């Protein structure tokens, strides 16, 4: 299906401003930042989007979609449930290899900023977090059914621990500007996941 000029321009704006929003945050991103990133005029940007809110929502979907697509491809590349769960710590401890993670995790970056200031963006972040948690839970349930993961494993407990460790370690890596804590946490998480194996 052929895309229209407007659709192409919208996609360009989203792709070019994705790292800006993820790095500077919603409040810290100005119209000048958007103009510099896209090379477009203010009129052109707001001719395609109603306001900065609409751009931010689309950019969050874009950024989270990039992470989700990468994880999905890596997970589907293996059948074993433990190997599938290991995709998470393996990806995040090597986040610098992936352009879509270099500015930080979109969920973490957005959640810390829009807690009470941007209800729609907060709602988007909550849905993304639920999606991530459910995805991990489903992988664990699959592993139990396939007799690859211990039967007494609590899928929700493991999902919450995994997400908490990943986001907490990622935050420390970004704040401290080095990988030490992230590598420690992801190595621990890898051992935790391997210990779920029958």
């Amino acid at each position: 299906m052929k895309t229209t000029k407007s659709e192409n321009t919208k996609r360009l704006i989203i792709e070019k401003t994705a790292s800006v929003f993820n790095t500077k945050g919603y409040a810290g991103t100005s119209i000048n930042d958007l103009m510099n990133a896209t090379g477009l005029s203010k009129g052109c940007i707001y001719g395609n989007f109603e306001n900065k809110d609409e751009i931010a929502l689309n950019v969050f979907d874009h950024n989270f979609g990039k992470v989700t697509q990468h994880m999905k491809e890596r997970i589907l590349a293996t059948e074993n449930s433990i190997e599938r769960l290991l995709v998470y710590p393996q990806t995040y401890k090597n986040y610098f290899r992936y352009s879509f993670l270099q500015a930080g995790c979109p969920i973490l970056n957005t959640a810390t900023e829009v807690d009470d200031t941007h209800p729609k963006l907060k709602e988007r972040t909550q849905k993304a977090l639920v999606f991530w948690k459910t995805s991990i839970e489903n992988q664990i349930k699959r592993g139990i059914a396939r007799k690859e993961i211990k039967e007494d494993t609590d899928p929700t407990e493991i999902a919450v621990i995994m997400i908490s460790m990943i986001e907490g370690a990622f935050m420390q890596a970004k704040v401290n500007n080095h990988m030490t804590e992230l590598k420690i946490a992801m190595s621990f998480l890898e051992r935790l996941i391997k210990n779920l194996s029958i």
Side-chain angles (χ1 to χ4, degrees):
M1 185 185 293
K2 193 174 180 181
T3 56
T4 66
K5 184 180 178 184
S6 174
E7 287 169 336
N8 287 333
T9 304
K10 280 187 173 185
R11 189 173 71 250
L12 179 140
I13 293 169
I14 292 165
E15 289 174 353
K16 295 286 188 184
T17 62
S19 63
V20 179
F21 274 105
N22 208 27
T23 304
K24 292 192 166 192
Y26 170 76
T29 300
S30 68
I31 183 60
N32 284 335
D33 292 325
L34 302 183
M35 289 163 63
N36 289 336
T38 60
L40 300 173
S41 68
K42 180 179 178 179
C44 183
I45 292 170
Y46 287 140
N48 285 280
F49 292 97
E50 189 178 333
N51 49 37
K52 190 170 87 167
D53 286 9
E54 189 184 359
I55 302 172
L57 290 168
N58 279 276
V59 162
F60 176 81
D61 291 343
H62 172 81
N63 284 335
F64 183 63
K66 286 271 197 184
V67 177
T68 303
Q69 186 60 34
H70 171 81
M71 294 299 187
K72 183 179 178 182
E73 287 172 5
R74 293 277 312 277
I75 286 167
L76 293 179
T78 181
E79 278 294 310
N80 183 272
S81 302
I82 296 295
E83 292 299 320
R84 286 183 168 201
L85 291 174
L86 287 170
V87 165
Y88 292 97
Q90 288 165 359
T91 297
Y92 282 98
K93 77 177 179 184
N94 296 302
Y95 78 90
F96 52 88
R97 294 181 185 172
Y98 309 109
S99 58
F100 54 85
L101 281 175
Q102 284 172 12
C105 173
I107 292 177
L108 179 65
N109 288 355
T110 308
T112 52
E113 184 189 17
V114 301
D115 188 27
D116 296 308
T117 58
H118 198 301
K120 286 184 180 177
L121 207 44
K122 181 180 179 180
E123 183 184 345
R124 251 340 188 273
T125 311
Q126 287 172 328
K127 285 181 179 176
L129 198 53
V130 168
F131 176 85
W132 187 10
K133 180 170 160 283
T134 303
S135 298
I136 295 173
E137 288 170 340
N138 288 341
Q139 289 301 331
I140 294 167
K141 289 172 185 174
R142 175 184 178 274
I144 293 169
R146 289 166 59 96
K147 302 195 182 308
E148 294 170 345
I149 291 177
K150 293 171 186 171
E151 194 177 358
D152 63 349
T153 303
D154 184 330
T156 300
E157 180 181 67
I158 298 301
V160 169
I161 289 169
M162 283 181 63
I163 292 170
S164 299
M165 286 185 70
I166 290 167
E167 295 292 28
F170 210 155
M171 177 270 294
Q172 290 182 73
K174 298 303 288 184
V175 169
N176 295 326
N177 207 27
H178 61 70
M179 302 279 291
T180 307
E181 291 83 4
L182 181 62
K183 284 184 176 177
I184 290 169
M186 293 306 97
S187 293
F188 181 87
L189 184 54
E190 286 178 347
R191 292 197 301 275
L192 184 149
I193 290 168
K194 287 174 183 176
N195 284 337
L196 300 176
S197 179
I198 291 176

Coordinates of all heavy atoms in Angstrom, one line a residue, residues 16-97:
K16 N 12.9 10.9 13.7 CA 14.0 11.9 13.9 C 13.9 12.5 15.3 O 15.0 12.9 15.9 CB 13.9 13.1 12.9 CG 14.1 12.7 11.5 CD 15.6 12.4 11.2 CE 15.9 12.2 9.7 NZ 17.3 11.8 9.5
T17 N 12.7 12.5 15.9 CA 12.6 13.1 17.3 C 12.6 12.0 18.4 O 12.6 12.4 19.6 CB 11.4 14.0 17.4 OG1 10.2 13.1 17.2 CG2 11.4 15.1 16.4
A18 N 12.6 10.7 18.0 CA 12.6 9.7 19.0 C 13.7 9.7 20.0 O 13.4 9.7 21.2 CB 12.6 8.3 18.3
S19 N 14.9 9.9 19.6 CA 16.0 9.9 20.5 C 16.0 11.2 21.3 O 16.5 11.2 22.4 CB 17.4 9.7 19.8 OG 17.6 10.8 18.9
V20 N 15.5 12.3 20.7 CA 15.5 13.6 21.4 C 14.6 13.5 22.6 O 14.9 13.8 23.8 CB 15.0 14.7 20.5 CG1 14.9 16.0 21.2 CG2 15.9 14.8 19.3
F21 N 13.4 13.0 22.4 CA 12.4 12.8 23.6 C 13.0 11.8 24.6 O 12.8 12.1 25.8 CB 11.1 12.3 23.0 CG 10.1 13.4 22.6 CD1 9.9 13.6 21.2 CD2 9.5 14.2 23.5 CE1 9.0 14.6 20.8 CE2 8.6 15.2 23.1 CZ 8.4 15.4 21.7
N22 N 13.6 10.7 24.1 CA 14.1 9.7 25.0 C 15.3 10.2 25.9 O 15.5 9.8 27.0 CB 14.4 8.4 24.3 CG 14.3 7.2 25.2 OD1 13.5 7.2 26.1 ND2 15.1 6.2 24.9
T23 N 16.0 11.2 25.3 CA 17.2 11.7 26.0 C 16.8 12.9 26.9 O 17.2 13.0 28.0 CB 18.3 12.2 25.0 OG1 18.6 11.1 24.1 CG2 19.5 12.7 25.7
K24 N 16.1 13.9 26.3 CA 15.7 15.1 27.0 C 14.5 15.0 27.8 O 14.2 15.9 28.7 CB 15.6 16.3 26.0 CG 16.9 16.6 25.4 CD 16.8 18.0 24.6 CE 18.2 18.5 24.3 NZ 18.1 19.9 23.9
G25 N 13.6 14.0 27.5 CA 12.3 13.9 28.2 C 11.3 14.8 27.5 O 11.6 15.6 26.7
Y26 N 10.1 14.6 28.0 CA 8.9 15.4 27.4 C 9.1 16.9 27.7 O 9.0 17.7 26.8 CB 7.6 14.9 28.0 CG 6.4 15.7 27.6 CD1 5.9 15.7 26.3 CD2 5.9 16.6 28.5 CE1 4.9 16.5 25.9 CE2 4.8 17.5 28.2 CZ 4.3 17.4 26.9 OH 3.3 18.2 26.5
A27 N 9.3 17.2 29.0 CA 9.3 18.6 29.4 C 10.6 19.3 28.8 O 10.5 20.5 28.4 CB 9.3 18.8 30.9
G28 N 11.7 18.6 28.7 CA 12.9 19.2 28.3 C 13.0 19.3 26.8 O 14.0 20.0 26.3
T29 N 12.1 18.7 26.0 CA 12.2 18.8 24.5 C 11.4 20.0 24.1 O 10.2 20.1 24.3 CB 11.6 17.5 23.9 OG1 12.4 16.4 24.3 CG2 11.7 17.6 22.4
S30 N 12.0 20.9 23.4 CA 11.4 22.2 22.9 C 11.1 22.0 21.4 O 11.5 21.1 20.7 CB 12.3 23.4 23.1 OG 13.5 23.2 22.2
I31 N 10.3 23.0 20.9 CA 10.0 23.0 19.5 C 11.2 23.2 18.7 O 11.4 22.6 17.6 CB 8.9 24.0 19.1 CG1 8.5 24.0 17.6 CG2 9.3 25.4 19.5 CD1 7.9 22.7 17.2
N32 N 12.2 24.0 19.2 CA 13.5 24.2 18.5 C 14.2 22.8 18.4 O 14.9 22.6 17.4 CB 14.3 25.2 19.2 CG 13.8 26.6 19.0 OD1 13.2 26.9 17.9 ND2 14.1 27.5 19.9
D33 N 14.2 22.0 19.4 CA 14.8 20.7 19.4 C 14.2 19.8 18.3 O 14.9 19.2 17.5 CB 14.6 19.9 20.7 CG 15.4 20.6 21.9 OD1 16.5 21.1 21.6 OD2 14.9 20.5 23.0
L34 N 12.8 19.9 18.2 CA 12.1 19.1 17.1 C 12.5 19.7 15.7 O 12.7 18.9 14.8 CB 10.6 19.2 17.4 CG 10.1 18.7 18.7 CD1 8.6 18.8 18.8 CD2 10.6 17.3 19.0
M35 N 12.6 21.0 15.6 CA 12.9 21.6 14.3 C 14.4 21.2 13.9 O 14.6 20.8 12.8 CB 12.8 23.1 14.4 CG 11.3 23.5 14.5 SD 11.1 25.3 15.0 CE 11.9 26.2 13.7
N36 N 15.3 21.2 14.9 CA 16.7 20.9 14.6 C 16.8 19.4 14.2 O 17.6 19.1 13.3 CB 17.6 21.2 15.8 CG 17.7 22.7 16.1 OD1 17.6 23.5 15.2 ND2 18.0 23.1 17.3
A37 N 16.1 18.6 14.9 CA 16.2 17.1 14.7 C 15.6 16.7 13.3 O 16.1 15.9 12.6 CB 15.5 16.4 15.8
T38 N 14.5 17.4 12.9 CA 13.8 17.1 11.7 C 14.3 17.9 10.5 O 14.1 17.4 9.3 CB 12.3 17.2 11.8 OG1 12.0 18.6 12.1 CG2 11.8 16.3 12.9
G39 N 14.8 19.1 10.7 CA 15.1 20.0 9.6 C 13.8 20.6 9.0 O 13.8 21.2 8.0
L40 N 12.7 20.5 9.8 CA 11.4 21.0 9.3 C 11.0 22.3 10.1 O 11.5 22.5 11.2 CB 10.3 20.0 9.5 CG 10.5 18.7 8.8 CD1 9.4 17.7 9.2 CD2 10.5 18.9 7.2
S41 N 10.1 23.1 9.5 CA 9.7 24.3 10.2 C 8.6 23.9 11.3 O 8.1 22.8 11.3 CB 9.0 25.2 9.2 OG 7.8 24.7 8.7
K42 N 8.4 24.9 12.2 CA 7.4 24.7 13.2 C 6.0 24.5 12.6 O 5.3 23.6 13.0 CB 7.3 26.0 14.1 CG 6.3 25.9 15.2 CD 6.4 27.2 16.1 CE 5.3 27.1 17.2 NZ 5.4 28.4 18.0
G43 N 5.7 25.2 11.5 CA 4.5 25.1 10.8 C 4.3 23.7 10.2 O 3.2 23.1 10.2
C44 N 5.4 23.2 9.7 CA 5.3 21.8 9.1 C 5.1 20.8 10.1 O 4.3 19.9 9.9 CB 6.6 21.5 8.3 SG 6.5 19.9 7.4
I45 N 5.8 20.9 11.3 CA 5.6 19.9 12.3 C 4.2 19.9 12.9 O 3.6 18.9 13.0 CB 6.7 20.2 13.5 CG1 8.1 19.9 13.0 CG2 6.3 19.4 14.7 CD1 9.2 20.4 13.9
Y46 N 3.7 21.2 13.2 CA 2.4 21.3 13.8 C 1.3 21.2 12.7 O 0.1 21.1 13.0 CB 2.3 22.5 14.6 CG 3.0 22.4 15.9 CD1 3.7 23.4 16.5 CD2 3.0 21.2 16.6 CE1 4.4 23.3 17.7 CE2 3.7 21.0 17.8 CZ 4.4 22.1 18.3 OH 5.1 21.9 19.5
G47 N 1.7 21.1 11.4 CA 0.7 20.9 10.4 C 0.4 19.4 10.3 O -0.6 19.0 9.7
N48 N 1.3 18.6 10.9 CA 1.1 17.1 10.8 C 0.7 16.5 12.2 O 0.2 15.4 12.2 CB 2.5 16.5 10.4 CG 2.7 16.6 8.9 OD1 2.1 15.9 8.1 ND2 3.5 17.6 8.5
F49 N 1.0 17.3 13.3 CA 0.6 16.8 14.6 C -0.1 18.0 15.3 O 0.3 19.2 15.1 CB 1.8 16.4 15.4 CG 2.4 15.1 14.9 CD1 3.5 15.1 14.1 CD2 1.9 13.9 15.3 CE1 4.1 14.0 13.7 CE2 2.5 12.7 14.9 CZ 3.6 12.7 14.0
E50 N -1.1 17.7 16.1 CA -1.9 18.7 16.8 C -1.1 19.5 17.7 O -1.2 20.8 17.8 CB -3.1 18.1 17.5 CG -4.1 19.1 18.0 CD -5.2 18.4 18.7 OE1 -5.6 17.2 18.4 OE2 -5.8 19.0 19.6
N51 N -0.2 18.9 18.5 CA 0.7 19.5 19.5 C 1.8 18.6 19.9 O 1.9 17.5 19.4 CB -0.2 19.9 20.7 CG -1.0 18.8 21.2 OD1 -0.6 17.6 21.2 ND2 -2.2 19.1 21.7
K52 N 2.6 19.1 20.8 CA 3.8 18.3 21.3 C 3.3 17.0 22.0 O 4.0 16.0 21.9 CB 4.6 19.1 22.2 CG 6.0 18.5 22.5 CD 6.9 19.4 23.3 CE 6.7 19.3 24.8 NZ 7.8 20.0 25.6
D53 N 2.2 17.1 22.6 CA 1.6 15.9 23.3 C 1.4 14.7 22.3 O 1.8 13.6 22.6 CB 0.3 16.2 23.9 CG 0.4 17.0 25.2 OD1 1.5 17.5 25.5 OD2 -0.6 17.2 25.9
E54 N 0.8 15.1 21.2 CA 0.6 14.0 20.2 C 1.9 13.5 19.6 O 2.0 12.2 19.4 CB -0.3 14.6 19.0 CG -0.8 13.5 18.1 CD -1.5 14.1 16.9 OE1 -1.7 15.3 16.7 OE2 -1.9 13.2 16.0
I55 N 2.9 14.3 19.4 CA 4.2 13.8 18.9 C 4.8 12.9 20.0 O 5.3 11.8 19.7 CB 5.1 15.0 18.6 CG1 4.6 15.9 17.6 CG2 6.5 14.4 18.2 CD1 5.3 17.2 17.4
A56 N 4.7 13.3 21.3 CA 5.3 12.5 22.4 C 4.7 11.2 22.5 O 5.4 10.2 22.7 CB 5.2 13.3 23.7
L57 N 3.4 11.1 22.3 CA 2.7 9.8 22.4 C 3.1 8.9 21.3 O 3.4 7.7 21.5 CB 1.1 10.0 22.3 CG 0.5 10.6 23.6 CD1 -0.9 11.0 23.3 CD2 0.6 9.7 24.8
N58 N 3.2 9.4 20.1 CA 3.6 8.6 18.9 C 5.1 8.2 19.0 O 5.5 7.1 18.7 CB 3.5 9.4 17.6 CG 2.0 9.4 17.1 OD1 1.6 8.5 16.4 ND2 1.2 10.4 17.5
V59 N 5.9 9.1 19.6 CA 7.3 8.8 19.8 C 7.5 7.7 20.8 O 8.3 6.8 20.7 CB 8.1 10.0 20.2 CG1 9.5 9.7 20.8 CG2 8.3 10.9 19.0
F60 N 6.7 7.7 21.9 CA 6.8 6.7 22.9 C 6.5 5.3 22.3 O 7.2 4.3 22.5 CB 5.9 6.9 24.1 CG 5.9 5.8 25.1 CD1 6.9 5.7 26.1 CD2 4.9 4.8 25.1 CE1 6.9 4.7 27.0 CE2 4.9 3.8 26.0 CZ 6.0 3.7 26.9
D61 N 5.4 5.3 21.5 CA 5.0 4.0 20.8 C 6.1 3.5 19.9 O 6.4 2.3 19.9 CB 3.7 4.3 20.0 CG 2.5 4.5 20.9 OD1 2.5 4.1 22.1 OD2 1.4 5.0 20.4
H62 N 6.7 4.5 19.2 CA 7.8 4.1 18.3 C 9.0 3.6 19.1 O 9.5 2.5 18.7 CB 8.3 5.4 17.6 CG 9.5 5.2 16.7 ND1 9.5 4.6 15.5 CD2 10.8 5.5 17.0 CE1 10.7 4.6 15.0 NE2 11.5 5.2 15.9
N63 N 9.4 4.2 20.2 CA 10.6 3.8 20.9 C 10.3 2.4 21.6 O 11.2 1.5 21.6 CB 10.9 4.8 22.0 CG 11.7 6.0 21.4 OD1 12.3 5.9 20.4 ND2 11.6 7.2 22.1
F64 N 9.1 2.3 22.2 CA 8.8 1.0 22.9 C 8.7 -0.1 21.8 O 9.1 -1.2 22.1 CB 7.5 1.2 23.7 CG 7.2 -0.1 24.4 CD1 8.0 -0.6 25.4 CD2 6.0 -0.8 24.2 CE1 7.7 -1.8 26.1 CE2 5.7 -2.0 24.8 CZ 6.5 -2.4 25.8
G65 N 8.1 0.3 20.7 CA 8.0 -0.7 19.6 C 9.3 -1.3 19.1 O 9.4 -2.4 18.8
K66 N 10.3 -0.4 19.1 CA 11.7 -0.8 18.7 C 12.2 -1.9 19.6 O 12.8 -2.9 19.2 CB 12.6 0.4 18.6 CG 12.4 1.3 17.5 CD 13.3 0.8 16.3 CE 13.4 1.9 15.3 NZ 14.1 1.5 14.1
V67 N 12.1 -1.6 20.9 CA 12.5 -2.5 22.0 C 11.8 -3.8 21.9 O 12.4 -4.9 21.8 CB 12.4 -1.9 23.4 CG1 12.8 -2.9 24.4 CG2 13.2 -0.6 23.5
T68 N 10.5 -3.7 21.7 CA 9.6 -4.9 21.7 C 9.9 -5.8 20.5 O 10.0 -7.0 20.6 CB 8.1 -4.5 21.6 OG1 7.8 -3.7 22.8 CG2 7.2 -5.7 21.6
Q69 N 10.1 -5.2 19.3 CA 10.4 -5.9 18.1 C 11.8 -6.6 18.2 O 11.9 -7.8 17.8 CB 10.5 -4.9 16.9 CG 10.7 -5.6 15.5 CD 9.6 -6.6 15.2 OE1 8.4 -6.4 15.5 NE2 9.9 -7.7 14.5
H70 N 12.8 -6.0 18.8 CA 14.1 -6.6 19.0 C 13.9 -7.8 19.9 O 14.4 -8.9 19.6 CB 15.1 -5.6 19.6 CG 16.3 -6.3 20.0 ND1 17.3 -6.6 19.1 CD2 16.8 -6.7 21.2 CE1 18.3 -7.2 19.8 NE2 18.0 -7.3 21.1
M71 N 13.2 -7.7 21.0 CA 13.0 -8.8 22.0 C 12.3 -9.9 21.3 O 12.7 -11.1 21.5 CB 12.3 -8.3 23.2 CG 13.0 -7.3 24.0 SD 14.6 -8.0 24.7 CE 15.1 -6.7 25.8
K72 N 11.2 -9.6 20.6 CA 10.4 -10.6 19.9 C 11.3 -11.4 19.0 O 11.2 -12.7 19.0 CB 9.3 -10.0 19.2 CG 8.3 -11.0 18.5 CD 7.2 -10.2 17.9 CE 6.2 -11.2 17.2 NZ 5.1 -10.5 16.4
E73 N 12.1 -10.8 18.1 CA 12.9 -11.5 17.2 C 13.9 -12.4 17.9 O 14.1 -13.5 17.4 CB 13.6 -10.5 16.3 CG 12.7 -9.8 15.3 CD 13.4 -8.6 14.5 OE1 14.6 -8.4 14.7 OE2 12.7 -8.0 13.8
R74 N 14.5 -11.9 18.9 CA 15.5 -12.7 19.7 C 14.9 -13.9 20.4 O 15.4 -15.0 20.4 CB 16.2 -11.8 20.7 CG 17.1 -10.7 20.2 CD 18.5 -11.2 19.8 NE 19.2 -12.0 20.8 CZ 19.8 -11.5 21.9 NH1 19.9 -10.2 22.0 NH2 20.4 -12.3 22.8
I75 N 13.7 -13.6 21.0 CA 13.0 -14.7 21.7 C 12.5 -15.8 20.7 O 12.7 -17.0 21.0 CB 11.8 -14.1 22.5 CG1 12.3 -13.4 23.7 CG2 10.8 -15.2 22.9 CD1 11.3 -12.5 24.4
L76 N 12.0 -15.4 19.6 CA 11.5 -16.4 18.6 C 12.6 -17.2 17.9 O 12.3 -18.2 17.3 CB 10.5 -15.7 17.6 CG 9.2 -15.2 18.2 CD1 8.4 -14.5 17.1 CD2 8.4 -16.3 18.8
A77 N 13.8 -16.7 18.1 CA 14.9 -17.4 17.5 C 15.3 -18.6 18.2 O 16.1 -19.4 17.7 CB 16.1 -16.4 17.4
T78 N 14.8 -18.8 19.4 CA 15.1 -20.1 20.2 C 13.8 -20.7 20.7 O 12.8 -19.9 21.0 CB 16.0 -19.8 21.3 OG1 16.3 -21.0 22.0 CG2 15.5 -18.7 22.3
E79 N 13.8 -22.0 20.9 CA 12.6 -22.7 21.4 C 12.6 -22.8 22.9 O 11.6 -22.8 23.6 CB 12.5 -24.1 20.8 CG 11.9 -24.1 19.4 CD 10.4 -23.7 19.4 OE1 9.6 -24.2 20.3 OE2 10.0 -22.8 18.7
N80 N 13.8 -22.9 23.5 CA 14.0 -23.2 24.9 C 13.6 -22.0 25.8 O 14.0 -20.9 25.5 CB 15.5 -23.5 25.2 CG 15.7 -23.9 26.6 OD1 15.9 -23.0 27.5 ND2 15.6 -25.2 27.0
S81 N 12.8 -22.3 26.8 CA 12.2 -21.2 27.6 C 13.2 -20.5 28.4 O 13.1 -19.2 28.6 CB 11.1 -21.8 28.5 OG 10.1 -22.5 27.8
I82 N 14.2 -21.2 28.9 CA 15.3 -20.5 29.7 C 16.1 -19.6 28.8 O 16.3 -18.4 29.2 CB 16.2 -21.5 30.4 CG1 15.4 -22.4 31.4 CG2 17.4 -20.8 31.0 CD1 14.9 -21.6 32.6
E83 N 16.4 -20.0 27.6 CA 17.1 -19.2 26.6 C 16.3 -18.0 26.3 O 16.9 -16.9 26.1 CB 17.5 -20.0 25.4 CG 18.5 -21.1 25.6 CD 19.8 -20.6 26.1 OE1 20.3 -19.6 25.6 OE2 20.4 -21.3 27.0
R84 N 15.0 -18.1 26.2 CA 14.1 -17.0 25.8 C 14.2 -16.0 26.9 O 14.2 -14.8 26.7 CB 12.7 -17.5 25.6 CG 12.5 -18.2 24.3 CD 11.1 -18.6 24.0 NE 10.9 -19.0 22.7 CZ 9.7 -19.1 22.0 NH1 8.6 -18.7 22.7 NH2 9.6 -19.4 20.8
L85 N 14.1 -16.4 28.2 CA 14.2 -15.4 29.3 C 15.5 -14.8 29.4 O 15.6 -13.6 29.8 CB 13.9 -16.1 30.6 CG 12.4 -16.6 30.8 CD1 12.3 -17.4 32.1 CD2 11.4 -15.5 30.8
L86 N 16.6 -15.5 29.0 CA 18.0 -14.9 29.1 C 18.2 -13.8 28.1 O 19.1 -13.0 28.2 CB 19.0 -16.0 28.9 CG 19.2 -17.0 30.0 CD1 20.1 -18.1 29.6 CD2 19.8 -16.2 31.2
V87 N 17.3 -13.7 27.1 CA 17.3 -12.6 26.1 C 17.3 -11.2 26.8 O 18.0 -10.3 26.4 CB 16.2 -12.7 25.1 CG1 16.0 -11.4 24.3 CG2 16.4 -13.9 24.1
Y88 N 16.5 -11.1 27.9 CA 16.4 -9.8 28.6 C 17.7 -9.4 29.2 O 18.2 -8.3 28.8 CB 15.3 -9.9 29.6 CG 13.9 -10.1 29.0 CD1 13.3 -11.3 28.8 CD2 13.2 -9.0 28.5 CE1 12.0 -11.5 28.2 CE2 11.9 -9.1 27.9 CZ 11.4 -10.4 27.8 OH 10.1 -10.5 27.2
P89 N 18.3 -10.1 30.1 CA 19.6 -9.6 30.6 C 20.7 -9.5 29.6 O 21.5 -8.6 29.7 CB 19.9 -10.6 31.7 CG 19.1 -11.9 31.4 CD 17.9 -11.4 30.8
Q90 N 20.7 -10.4 28.6 CA 21.7 -10.3 27.6 C 21.6 -9.1 26.7 O 22.6 -8.5 26.4 CB 21.7 -11.6 26.7 CG 22.2 -12.8 27.4 CD 21.8 -14.1 26.7 OE1 21.1 -14.1 25.7 NE2 22.2 -15.2 27.2
T91 N 20.4 -8.7 26.5 CA 20.2 -7.4 25.7 C 20.5 -6.2 26.5 O 21.3 -5.3 26.1 CB 18.7 -7.3 25.2 OG1 18.4 -8.4 24.3 CG2 18.4 -6.0 24.5
Y92 N 20.0 -6.1 27.7 CA 20.2 -4.9 28.5 C 21.7 -4.7 29.0 O 22.1 -3.6 29.1 CB 19.2 -4.9 29.7 CG 17.9 -4.4 29.2 CD1 16.9 -5.4 29.0 CD2 17.6 -3.1 29.0 CE1 15.6 -5.0 28.5 CE2 16.3 -2.7 28.6 CZ 15.3 -3.6 28.3 OH 14.1 -3.2 27.9
K93 N 22.4 -5.8 29.2 CA 23.8 -5.6 29.7 C 24.6 -5.2 28.5 O 25.8 -4.7 28.7 CB 24.3 -6.9 30.3 CG 24.7 -8.0 29.4 CD 25.3 -9.1 30.2 CE 25.7 -10.3 29.3 NZ 26.2 -11.4 30.2
N94 N 24.1 -5.3 27.3 CA 24.8 -4.9 26.1 C 24.1 -3.7 25.4 O 24.1 -3.6 24.1 CB 25.1 -6.0 25.1 CG 26.0 -7.1 25.7 OD1 27.1 -6.8 26.1 ND2 25.5 -8.3 25.8
Y95 N 23.3 -2.9 26.2 CA 22.4 -1.9 25.6 C 23.1 -1.0 24.6 O 22.5 -0.5 23.7 CB 21.7 -1.2 26.7 CG 22.5 -0.1 27.3 CD1 22.6 1.2 26.9 CD2 23.3 -0.4 28.5 CE1 23.3 2.2 27.5 CE2 24.1 0.6 29.1 CZ 24.1 1.9 28.6 OH 24.8 2.8 29.2
F96 N 24.4 -0.7 24.8 CA 25.2 0.2 24.0 C 25.3 -0.2 22.6 O 25.6 0.6 21.7 CB 26.6 0.5 24.6 CG 27.3 -0.8 24.9 CD1 28.1 -1.4 23.9 CD2 27.3 -1.4 26.1 CE1 28.8 -2.5 24.1 CE2 28.0 -2.6 26.4 CZ 28.7 -3.1 25.4
R97 N 25.0 -1.5 22.3 CA 25.1 -2.0 20.9 C 23.8 -1.6 20.1 O 23.8 -1.8 18.9 CB 25.2 -3.5 21.0 CG 26.5 -4.1 21.5 CD 26.5 -5.6 21.5 NE 27.7 -6.1 22.1 CZ 27.8 -7.4 22.3 NH1 26.9 -8.3 21.9 NH2 28.9 -7.9 22.9

